[in-house]
Amino acid sequence: MNRTRRSILKAGAGTALVLAAGQLTAGEQKQKTLLILGGTGFIGPHLTEQALARGWQVTHFNRGRRDAEVEGVETLLGDRRGQLDSLKGRSWDAVVDNTGYIPKFVKMSSDLLAPNTGYCLYISSISAYASFVAPNDESSPRGVLANPDEEQVTNESYGPMKALCEDYVRQAFGARSSVVRPGYIVGPLDPTDRFTYWPVRVAQGGDMAVPGTPADPIQVIDVRDLTRFMLDLVERRVDGFFNAVTPPGAITMGALIDTSRHISRADTRTTWIDEDFLAKELKPEEMNFAPWSPMRGEEAGASLTGITRSVAAGLTSRSLDETVRDTLAWHATRPADRQAQLRSGLSVEQETRLLAAWSARKPA
């Protein structure tokens, strides 16, 4: 399955043309219009494909640096950082903002669009919560940004910036909006490699270092499940806040490794390494084990986020098998350099050193 960004967008456009022809013939009502701020990154192509397939007329707003011309999709050029002229004087039934990180620019676009746009869905993050010592739900306290004009996105500022972006969207659109807070978004087109690393590493075989224990829970969301949920909320114009992750406890690190081994048929030998040992042996910047997180300390609740409200609103998750299989198939279509250089996980040297240190440790 060759699921490149362009193939996904073209597939959706083809379906849209068929639907549009049918609508014109049948004399049905005017097509619904959807503006996506971005549209060509990771979430955008999947959302565009699903929206076109459901008969939406889609517009992308971006800088035009990547897949600027998408078949069946209008593209408006501009920049989130104040260059919004192409949006002025236009109206849409709904807008999806999945590229908003800097609060003052999210406020700018929200204030501009709200008077002439029926509904807004903003993609935030579970990082918006103030603490992860215990599990969060949608009512948990969020981080507070000290400087509302902050533009630098760091590990410390990212969550509070997302929280303030949420506030600006809600101030502009009120009950005509929803906020979706995903965790680790995974599947075809994921540029971060945070999930991709694990099935790819398992498929390589040999001795493999894995953090924690097989029972440690992890939470992810397949991008296709996320975008389906997003579009469902948009079409029903649902008001509220929703976490978007797999159910707490439904997936473990052991299940991810076992599923990857089963699908790749690799003879991979895993060594599970205690999280306290990892913290002592590795530098903070080397702790690239997402979506796994420690089960003790400040992140003990990070992989147990509640989704009761989201499930009631229609959120579902496909099988782990399907996500792993499709991720491996997509990864095989990437350029050779991206296949060889993943942006997350351990390098060969780091893994070799870690396994040796664990093997040489003194008994407690």
Side-chain angles (χ1 to χ4, degrees), residues 14 132 174 179 188 225 227 246 259 263 302-303 327:
F132 296 93
V179 172
D225 296 330
T227 51
T246 45
T259 299
I263 290 174
S303 295
T327 297

Side-chain angles (χ1 to χ4, degrees), residues 207-210 270-274 277-278 281 350-364:
D207 295 316
M208 178 180 179
V210 190
T270 54
T271 297
W272 296 86
I273 301 180
D274 181 77
F277 184 87
L278 291 172
E281 191 68 23
Q350 289 172 333
E351 185 176 41
T352 300
R353 187 175 71 246
L354 183 60
L355 287 170
W358 177 252
S359 177
R361 72 193 187 286
K362 296 179 179 179

Side-chain angles (χ1 to χ4, degrees), residues 63-328:
R63 293 174 292 179
R65 296 181 179 178
R66 177 170 51 189
D67 290 333
E69 298 298 327
V70 178
E71 184 180 353
V73 175
E74 177 189 24
T75 297
L76 300 178
L77 298 182
D79 194 310
R80 295 299 303 264
R81 293 174 174 267
Q83 298 176 20
L84 306 178
D85 287 352
S86 61
L87 298 176
K88 293 179 179 178
R90 296 288 301 270
S91 62
W92 288 271
D93 291 312
V95 56
V96 169
D97 185 349
N98 65 282
T99 59
Y101 299 94
I102 301 174
K104 66 181 182 182
F105 296 127
V106 168
K107 177 175 171 53
M108 190 179 298
S109 59
S110 296
D111 289 346
L112 172 65
L113 292 168
N116 298 311
T117 303
Y119 180 86
C120 177
L121 185 147
Y122 175 68
I123 289 293
S124 183
S125 168
I126 61 169
S127 295
Y129 294 117
S131 170
F132 296 93
V133 173
N136 290 300
D137 61 25
E138 289 85 353
S139 63
S140 297
R142 299 170 304 148
V144 177
L145 190 64
N147 175 18
D149 292 324
E150 179 67 64
E151 294 187 34
Q152 178 125 17
V153 181
T154 66
N155 288 336
E156 291 70 34
S157 68
Y158 175 73
M161 290 174 81
K162 277 291 193 179
L164 186 54
C165 288
E166 294 178 2
D167 292 342
Y168 286 151
V169 169
R170 295 290 285 183
Q171 288 170 16
F173 285 89
R176 297 182 294 122
S177 65
S178 60
V179 172
V180 177
R181 297 171 181 150
Y184 293 110
I185 308 171
V186 306
L189 303 188
D190 176 14
T192 70
D193 297 327
R194 292 177 298 199
F195 177 87
T196 304
Y197 168 80
W198 299 104
V200 168
R201 174 61 190 88
V202 170
Q204 292 170 349
D207 295 316
M208 178 180 179
V210 190
T213 75
D216 291 351
I218 60 174
Q219 287 181 297
V220 296
I221 183 71
D222 189 297
V223 64
R224 296 161 294 182
D225 296 330
L226 172 63
T227 51
R228 183 179 62 244
F229 180 59
M230 291 164 58
L231 198 54
D232 287 346
L233 295 178
V234 169
E235 291 185 334
R236 303 198 316 267
R237 297 199 174 194
V238 178
D239 168 28
F241 296 80
F242 303 93
N243 293 329
V245 291
T246 45
I251 302 177
T252 63
M253 200 63 188
L256 174 56
I257 299 303
D258 289 343
T259 299
S260 300
R261 185 188 287 115
H262 171 73
I263 290 174
S264 65
R265 298 184 180 180
D267 181 19
T268 308
R269 299 170 297 278
T270 54
T271 297
W272 296 86
I273 301 180
D274 181 77
E275 62 183 68
D276 292 334
F277 184 87
L278 291 172
K280 294 177 182 178
E281 191 68 23
L282 298 177
K283 300 175 182 177
E285 61 271 20
E286 293 177 318
M287 293 283 285
N288 295 321
F289 296 118
W292 177 86
S293 61
M295 297 305 298
R296 299 186 287 273
E298 295 182 355
E299 297 181 69
S303 295
L304 295 169
T305 301
I307 61 167
T308 300
R309 187 181 300 179
S310 300
V311 171
L315 177 66
T316 59
S317 299
R318 68 193 61 211
S319 70
L320 181 60
D321 286 48
E322 184 176 352
T323 297
V324 168
R325 183 179 295 108
D326 291 351
T327 297
L328 283 171

Side-chain angles (χ1 to χ4, degrees), residues 26-46:
E28 295 182 5
Q29 63 183 12
K30 180 183 175 183
Q31 271 187 295
K32 299 167 292 184
T33 55
L34 176 66
L35 170 65
I36 302 176
L37 300 182
T40 59
F42 178 24
I43 296 175
H46 291 282

